Amino acid sequence: ATTFDTDGKIISINWINISSPLKNKKTDTKKLTINKTEFDIENPMVGTYVYDLKVTDNEKLSNTKRITVVVK
């Protein structure tokens, strides 16, 4: 994913777990490695992972994109 702001500066990028096959969100967070606009799930379980990517700029304007990954 690529993020940009034509009239300001990106101040935060957050991945929000909407749903995943992992029962415990704390465990899910430990398995999730976030590097700005990319994330990696260590040893993913089979199933559907749904995350929202929320980007906020210096004017407190934000946009969210839902990302769905299916592991077979």
Side-chain angles (χ1 to χ4, degrees):
T2 302
T3 61
F4 62 92
D5 187 346
T6 58
D7 64 349
K9 180 179 176 182
I10 302 292
I11 60 168
S12 71
I13 298 171
N14 295 302
W15 289 95
I16 302 155
N17 179 7
I18 303 304
S19 66
S20 74
L22 302 169
K23 304 275 189 246
N24 182 341
K25 287 194 178 189
K26 287 183 181 180
T27 302
D28 190 28
T29 301
K30 289 179 185 174
K31 290 179 175 269
L32 181 66
T33 303
I34 300 172
N35 181 4
K36 298 198 180 209
T37 56
E38 299 176 1
F39 74 91
D40 180 46
I41 301 172
E42 180 183 325
N43 300 319
M45 296 174 64
V46 171
T48 302
Y49 295 77
V50 181
Y51 287 87
D52 280 353
L53 172 59
K54 183 178 180 182
V55 179
T56 305
D57 72 5
N58 60 313
E59 296 174 343
K60 305 292 185 212
L61 299 172
S62 64
N63 197 358
T64 302
K65 179 72 175 180
R66 182 151 293 174
I67 309 295
T68 301
V69 178
V70 178
V71 177
K72 295 183 178 186

